[in-house]
Amino acid sequence: MTSENPAPAPGAPPARRTLLADAALGVLADAGMRGLTHRAVDTAAGLPAGTTSAYFRTRSALLTALVRRLVELDQAELAEAAARAPVLRTAEDLVHGLAALVAARTGGDGRRRSLARYACVLESVRDPELRDILVPRENPGRDAVRAFLAARGVADPEARTLTLIACVDGLVLDRVVAGPDATDDGTGAIEGLVAAALRP
């Protein structure tokens, strides 16, 4: 007698795993950690009951796949934004670029992914594997900010870059918590952060 939901073969199509990870991201954004179950992901993905557990046997495996997919999407977003953006020549250019990032991460699908991201960050406090996956990574956007600050002669551009990005991330969190109807677009705060980063 065969199982209704056999385990996937070792060479299972990555597209199915990606579909499930994306569905899991949506479930986490909408229902939080307590709502993230294999059955909920099956439903969100429009797949038969048991599909998610066939690919990701445990909740930990599902969460790990979700976090890896989240990092992949974040890195792709940052690389695409850096490719579209002009070379940073002025403080105003940097403010504009950071404001665009905040807008992307606090509206529409970007807001939902931010909700999932912060839930994962909190979960990683007790999960070293997730923490290792979520550790900040190099990307073209960060490179551009570092190069801009270095060209302006600031002390320790690497540390200034990390601090600036951390502060912008905090601004994203603040706006996500405030909800989609927040009226302040954060530009004033970003101008202050950039000015602080450029101080000698």
Side-chain angles (χ1 to χ4, degrees), residues 43-64:
T43 300
L47 294 171
T51 302
T52 302
S53 61
Y55 283 86
F56 306 109
R57 290 292 188 188
T58 65
R59 189 172 185 279
S60 177
L62 176 61
L63 188 55
T64 298

Side-chain angles (χ1 to χ4, degrees), residues 86-108:
V87 176
L88 298 177
R89 301 189 185 282
T90 67
E92 289 74 21
D93 290 340
L94 181 53
V95 169
H96 178 77
L98 292 174
L101 176 63
V102 170
R105 293 199 165 179
T106 56

Side-chain angles (χ1 to χ4, degrees), residues 78 81-83 85-89 94 138-151 161 165:
L78 292 169
V87 176
L88 298 177
R89 301 189 185 282
L94 181 53
E138 290 297 313
N139 59 71
R142 179 179 293 187
D143 291 344
V145 173
R146 186 189 299 111
F148 174 76
L149 295 180
T161 298
I165 291 172

Side-chain angles (χ1 to χ4, degrees), residues 10 17 24 35 38 53 56 58 83 92 101 108 111 113 132 137 143 147 151 157 159 161 176 183 189 193:
R17 292 180 179 276
H38 287 80
S53 61
F56 306 109
T58 65
E92 289 74 21
L101 176 63
R111 181 176 187 274
R113 199 159 83 236
D132 287 345
R137 288 167 166 74
D143 291 344
T161 298
V176 167
T183 55
L193 293 172

Side-chain angles (χ1 to χ4, degrees), residues 53-194:
S53 61
Y55 283 86
F56 306 109
R57 290 292 188 188
T58 65
R59 189 172 185 279
S60 177
L62 176 61
L63 188 55
T64 298
L66 180 162
V67 172
R68 289 189 188 281
R69 178 61 173 159
L70 176 63
V71 170
E72 178 186 353
L73 290 170
D74 281 351
Q75 289 293 94
E77 175 188 61
L78 292 169
E80 183 181 347
R84 288 196 316 263
V87 176
L88 298 177
R89 301 189 185 282
T90 67
E92 289 74 21
D93 290 340
L94 181 53
V95 169
H96 178 77
L98 292 174
L101 176 63
V102 170
R105 293 199 165 179
T106 56
D109 286 341
R111 181 176 187 274
R112 295 179 75 234
R113 199 159 83 236
S114 290
L115 286 167
R117 182 185 306 107
Y118 292 123
C120 291
V121 167
L122 289 176
E123 191 72 13
S124 76
V125 171
R126 292 171 292 277
D127 189 326
E129 182 180 6
L130 295 185
R131 193 160 59 246
D132 287 345
I133 299 169
L134 286 166
V135 68
R137 288 167 166 74
E138 290 297 313
N139 59 71
R142 179 179 293 187
D143 291 344
V145 173
R146 186 189 299 111
F148 174 76
L149 295 180
R152 299 294 289 264
V154 304
D156 199 349
E158 173 66 17
R160 295 279 184 103
T161 298
L162 294 178
T163 299
L164 176 58
I165 291 172
C167 290
V168 170
D169 192 47
L171 180 60
V172 171
L173 174 59
D174 181 71
R175 287 178 52 74
V176 167
V177 171
D181 297 326
T183 55
D184 178 13
D185 66 2
T187 299
I190 294 170
E191 288 173 345
L193 293 172
V194 169

